[in-house]
Amino acid sequence: MLLSLFLFPPQASTNAPEVDALYLFLVALCGLTALGVITAMTFFAIRYRRTPENVVGHDIHGSTALEIFWTAIPFLILMFVFAWGASLYFKLSRPPEDAMEVFVVGRQWMWKIQHMEGRREINALHVPVGRPIKLTMTSEDVIHSFYIPAFRVKADVVPGRYTTLWFQPTKPGEYHLFCAEYCGTEHSRMGGSVIVMQPAEYEAWLAGTQTAGGGTPSSGLTPVQLGRKLFVEKACATCHLNTPGGVGPVLVGIYGRQVELATGATVKVDEAYVRESILTPMAKVVKGFPPAMPTFGGQLTEEQVMSLIAYVKSLSDGGDAAAPAPHSGAAPAAPTAPGAPAN
Amino acid sequence: MQTSEAKKVNYLSAQHTVASWLLTIDHKRIAILYLVSITVMFLIGGLMAAAIRAELLTPAGDLMGSDTYNKAFTLHGIVMVFFFLIPSIPATLGNFLVPLMIGAKDLAFPRINLLSWYIYMVGATIGIVATVTGGLDTGWTLYTPYSTAYATTNVVMPAIGLFITGFSSILTGLNFIVTIHKMRAPGMTWFRLPLFIWAQYATSIVMILATPVIAITVLMVAIDRGLGLGIFDPKAGGDPVLFQHLFWFYSHPAVYIMILPAMGVISEVIPCFSKKRIFGYNFIAASSLSIAIIGFFVWGHHLFTTPQSMYAAMAFSIITFAVAVPSAVKTFNWTATMYRGSVSFEAPMIYAFGFMGLFLVGGLTGLFLGALGLDLHVHDTYFVVAHFHYIMVGGAIMAYMAGLHFWWPKMTGRMYPEGPAKAAALLIFVGFNLTFFPQFLAGYAGMPRRYHYYPPEFQIFNVLSTAGSSILALGYLLPLGYLLWSLRYGRAAGRNPWGATGLEWMIDSPPSPHNFDETPVVTWEPYDYPDAHRRTAEHAASEAARV
Ligand SMILES: [Cu+2]
Ligand SMILES: [Cu+2]
């Protein structure tokens, strides 16, 4: 027991015991293989050591049967290990639909975290126990990697695009958060902790002060609220009306659907597509519309882009409140948006 | 007999001037030039390793600043990989032995051979000087966009150094391939070639096909950085992950540039000290080629945590498991070679045993990393560091040491002292395991690599590791001492101190400048130890009858 404490990081997600099971299987498999080969080697070396009676080896060329045997058996075993590893990976590549979303932005040398309910933090991630959580991540500068050993998960955080990582914590506690991809001077100190809390505690924490990690002008708004505000401020609303007839397409209800492009191809509207539509609109032009949308690349921070996406997403979550903000200039102070509980 | 041999002109005694070394086109002298240069590189790289291990003794960064630490591990990686390991066996033992083993007077292009050494020296000098003066802090992997847009250190010069060094590998590979095709002695058919030659051949293919890719890639980094082209910069529409694909397209096969020749050495040493044919010659030869070929399609296993398609990742994973099979086959065949042999335990064999143990662990832990779901946890942790040191240091350097001791009598005409050599082999084996085994545990426990500061719970692993590294250092310094000592005081070796088969053992030690007085005609199979023994016995009997 003590040994296992020493050899394993804490097992704190649904994924962790599954990875550990494969690990232990491989330790056993490889241990036995190594033991077998080393025993055979040692045995032969001693049994057939050179003596005055044994000065030259027997005249043996080889054995095709043996060669086939020790090619085929390892191959079959390895295919089994492949399938096991791939099945774990398959699960980790597909976040559950109902996962709670959190935005993560990495930069030299800190992690900035934005909860959908508005709370933001730096180098710490608070999550409730027992719920699947999906991180949507990007970097402002170089490549980083978001690594939580206790959950046995890691994903690179790459500038210019989104990557995702999901996990379901199973044990309350505080765990290491590391940056695993070398990113310069303070790489080894780019980390913090993941704090897994009981759901009630977590709710209380969410409702707590909004200032943690604040300092940005938008602090205090949820991503959807901030997105709605930006949608007006950046004049998106002048082209994207909530009924057909505007310069640009209606954005209500598009998230998650297929969109036909001018080229005839179709794409699914997801985070990556909305991001691209905002930052490089010419890359994929919607069928039936002029390529009239201005480029916002370089004008928005990663947090702002993420907020706009959250807002566009909220327009597809149904309900009247999903209508785009009125074309009135000033943003509403803090109206309740869908998906954002009142705080 | 010894005096008459000493009087004969050999490649070392033929000329003594400095120019006769620097302008030599004798493959054996060029091998010695490489031997000296890579030893210097190994010492520089080793010094950096010592600095890293000393720093990691405690969780806090108390010995040096983070920037210095980052430069130390970068220099360590670049020097060890590009300037030591890649040229190690091919450029020294390969250069020396390829013509001797196939019965040729030299390589196909002796002048190009010398040129490749000069290119290596220019590239390495630029690389080292730039890295030491300005410092480079990107890690040997040079990942973008850190290297292209964010590092404040000297990236362009070392990149140019690497670009230049690449040509040295390409030329050596080309030279070997042409030589092996065209210069074999009469009767030296493909299936009479020593397995070391098969391994060099496979390695040369990898060198020729993969090296241009890394050369162009580092050049793109230099250009991107110098001119701001943005090839790898997302802000300019570039793709930073593209770099990783290009980098590993070379750097995975580069592992085979290091390990295939090592396997070649082991395939010579084990039959010789078992006095038996190698078990499954054809299968070992074929496995070298299949490793070289399949090895080109697994680079994506370094990118499982990057945003690559799930199906691409699965393809890379399955091919990675497939490429493990030929290595396993070799290991089984080496073991089987000892079965019913006549095994003796001279230093080269002790090193070969060390290789077997360490390569086994290195290879098997590769399976952990190839398994997708598990890799997501251990990728970029000390588990990876331990794994590749087991392959590249435990495997490649151990085999290099085995080969160096095995052919030292041939290269210098002198025997190394057996006692210290065995002691060194043992020290290296013990020191190595103590250094790197704890790193597997640290990695699984979650310690990321390239960490200057680390949480205190990882200290125990690092203390063990640092302790081991001091034993390891001793193990590496010892041969430096006794091998140099043997140049002067070593016992004269004679032609064939090990009773080995192979053409290189039929000529004088050290060989004459033109290797063979008359071109040998080969009529026998390789590793025919039973027959060789019979012939020696008959020879001795007839000598006795004559007297
Ligand atoms: Cu980082
Ligand atoms: Cu690889």
Side-chain angles (χ1 to χ4, degrees), chain A:
Chain A
M1 208 57 233
L2 211 105
L3 197 70
S4 78
L5 276 179
F6 175 67
L7 297 179
F8 293 105
Q11 274 185 343
S13 73
T14 50
N15 178 52
E18 297 187 22
V19 170
D20 287 350
L22 175 54
Y23 175 70
L24 287 176
F25 171 77
L26 278 171
V27 167
L29 176 75
C30 295
L32 285 177
T33 310
L35 202 70
V37 173
I38 290 172
T39 309
M41 247 170 53
T42 315
F43 175 75
F44 292 162
I46 294 171
R47 170 70 182 74
Y48 303 111
R49 69 188 176 281
R50 188 159 312 157
T51 57
E53 294 78 49
N54 179 30
V55 289
V56 68
H58 277 248
D59 201 355
I60 301 170
H61 276 82
S63 153
T64 309
L66 261 182
E67 301 285 349
I68 292 172
F69 170 77
W70 64 41
T71 306
I73 299 296
F75 183 79
L76 292 178
I77 296 176
L78 292 183
M79 287 305 110
F80 172 72
V81 178
F82 158 75
W84 190 340
S87 74
L88 290 182
Y89 181 76
F90 196 73
K91 261 190 239 168
L92 287 174
S93 302
R94 323 181 113 212
E97 291 290 320
D98 61 339
M100 180 184 127
E101 281 199 70
V102 178
F103 282 145
V104 175
V105 176
R107 61 171 298 176
Q108 285 174 325
W109 290 279
M110 60 167 82
W111 296 107
K112 295 189 284 185
I113 284 155
Q114 166 81 67
H115 294 262
M116 297 313 283
E117 293 80 4
R119 186 103 197 224
R120 16 177 86 216
E121 42 188 338
I122 286 182
N123 291 341
L125 169 61
H126 288 76
V127 287
V129 70
R131 273 191 69 180
I133 289 143
K134 174 185 157 200
L135 309 181
T136 299
M137 310 186 291
T138 190
S139 164
E140 285 178 6
D141 39 46
V142 303
I143 299 178
H144 303 278
S145 190
F146 200 89
Y147 177 33
I148 310 163
F151 299 167
R152 313 286 188 275
V153 289
K154 165 186 305 121
D156 287 2
V157 177
V158 182
R161 62 189 297 170
Y162 290 134
T163 54
T164 57
L165 179 71
W166 82 271
F167 49 80
Q168 181 167 338
T170 51
K171 246 185 234 146
E174 188 169 340
Y175 308 106
H176 284 302
L177 160 62
F178 292 126
C179 172
E181 183 62 68
Y182 175 69
C183 57
T185 310
E186 297 285 301
H187 165 60
S188 66
R189 292 201 267 189
M190 176 168 170
S193 40
V194 174
I195 300 108
V196 178
M197 310 167 106
Q198 294 294 354
E201 280 175 58
Y202 177 71
E203 290 303 327
W205 176 83
L206 270 184
T209 53
Q210 298 275 338
T211 48
T216 49
S218 51
S219 121
L221 298 183
T222 69
V224 173
Q225 290 164 348
L226 176 60
R228 177 197 297 265
K229 186 166 161 241
L230 286 166
F231 203 76
V232 174
E233 281 174 10
K234 301 285 172 185
C236 316
T238 54
C239 297
H240 297 287
L241 310 178
N242 51 359
T243 48
V247 181
V250 173
L251 300 183
V252 179
I254 63 162
Y255 195 88
R257 299 236 193 95
Q258 298 283 335
V259 164
E260 202 177 334
L261 302 179
T263 57
T266 54
V267 293
K268 186 175 178 220
V269 179
D270 57 7
E271 281 113 349
Y273 172 75
V274 177
R275 175 192 174 84
E276 191 182 30
S277 295
I278 298 171
L279 298 178
T280 47
M282 298 310 152
K284 295 196 178 86
V285 175
V286 180
K287 188 175 180 183
F289 287 89
M293 175 158 159
T295 300
F296 287 89
Q299 298 173 32
L300 299 167
T301 65
E302 290 295 350
E303 279 99 340
Q304 287 174 325
V305 177
M306 283 177 163
S307 303
L308 280 167
I309 293 171
Y311 174 64
V312 170
K313 215 187 256 187
S314 75
L315 295 177
S316 304
D317 287 347
D320 290 332
H327 179 202
S328 62
T336 313
N343 41 10

Side-chain angles (χ1 to χ4, degrees), chain B residues 54-234:
Chain B
E55 170 62 76
L56 292 179
L57 201 52
T58 57
D62 29 29
L63 210 62
M64 51 183 110
S66 289
D67 281 324
T68 312
Y69 178 81
N70 296 343
K71 286 176 186 173
F73 73 68
T74 301
L75 187 60
H76 168 70
I78 290 202
V79 168
M80 287 301 204
V81 171
F82 293 107
F83 302 141
F84 174 72
L85 281 164
I86 300 253
S88 62
I89 298 182
T92 58
L93 298 176
N95 242 325
F96 194 90
L97 293 166
V98 167
L100 295 183
M101 283 183 162
I102 65 172
K105 294 206 151 93
D106 207 314
L107 286 171
F109 308 111
R111 286 189 174 74
I112 289 188
N113 195 21
L114 180 64
L115 177 66
S116 83
W117 179 70
Y118 274 103
I119 293 176
Y120 165 80
M121 288 308 284
V122 170
T125 310
I126 294 179
I128 300 269
V129 169
T131 318
V132 171
T133 54
L136 175 66
D137 75 335
T138 59
W140 77 280
T141 46
L142 294 163
Y143 272 17
T144 57
Y146 183 71
S147 61
T148 45
Y150 291 88
T152 52
T153 50
N154 198 352
V155 179
V156 175
M157 285 307 282
I160 291 174
L162 293 184
F163 175 76
I164 294 173
T165 313
F167 287 93
S168 152
S169 280
I170 295 172
L171 292 180
T172 302
L174 191 76
N175 221 337
F176 284 180
I177 288 186
V178 176
T179 306
I180 294 169
H181 269 279
K182 289 291 176 195
M183 315 254 304
R184 282 172 287 131
M188 181 56 95
T189 59
W190 283 92
F191 289 99
R192 285 180 183 164
L193 287 173
L195 288 166
F196 182 77
I197 298 292
W198 276 98
Q200 288 296 337
Y201 186 81
T203 308
S204 302
I205 294 176
V206 180
M207 283 175 158
I208 290 187
L209 295 182
T211 315
V213 178
I214 190 75
I216 292 299
T217 308
V218 292
L219 200 63
M220 277 156 82
V221 167
I223 293 174
D224 200 334
R225 189 176 168 90
L227 307 178
L229 285 193
I231 308 168
F232 303 119
D233 182 1

Side-chain angles (χ1 to χ4, degrees), chain B residues 298-466:
Chain B
V298 300
W299 77 88
H301 64 211
H302 298 269
L303 288 90
F304 289 157
T305 62
T306 65
Q308 88 180 330
S309 116
M310 184 170 73
Y311 298 103
M314 289 188 182
F316 283 123
S317 170
I318 201 166
I319 304 172
T320 299
F321 282 108
V323 81
V325 174
S327 295
V329 167
K330 279 188 200 253
T331 309
F332 298 144
N333 277 305
W334 290 323
T335 308
T337 300
M338 284 188 280
Y339 169 70
R340 304 193 72 183
S342 163
V343 182
S344 63
F345 304 95
E346 283 85 356
M349 189 64 165
I350 304 287
Y351 279 107
F353 278 125
F355 167 92
M356 294 273 282
L358 302 182
F359 178 70
L360 203 60
V361 176
L364 290 170
T365 50
L367 306 179
F368 292 64
L369 297 164
L372 281 161
L374 186 49
D375 182 66
L376 295 186
H377 172 48
V378 286
H379 176 72
D380 268 337
T381 67
Y382 263 84
F383 194 93
V384 176
V385 176
H387 159 71
F388 73 75
H389 279 88
Y390 264 84
I391 296 284
M392 286 153 62
V393 184
I397 300 187
M398 213 64 177
Y400 174 67
M401 296 299 282
L404 202 59
H405 286 80
F406 187 53
W407 284 290
W408 189 255
K410 184 54 61 185
M411 298 170 88
T412 65
R414 302 285 181 167
M415 294 304 289
Y416 61 82
E418 195 60 46
K422 278 184 186 148
L426 220 67
L427 277 182
I428 294 178
F429 186 79
V430 171
F432 181 89
N433 279 305
L434 189 53
T435 308
F436 292 105
F437 199 83
Q439 296 186 3
F440 284 122
L441 307 180
Y444 201 80
M447 179 170 170
R449 65 192 287 202
R450 295 171 171 174
Y451 260 34
H452 179 214
Y453 290 76
Y454 59 84
E457 70 253 38
F458 299 130
Q459 186 170 16
I460 172 73
F461 306 117
N462 284 285
V463 170
L464 290 173
S465 198
T466 302

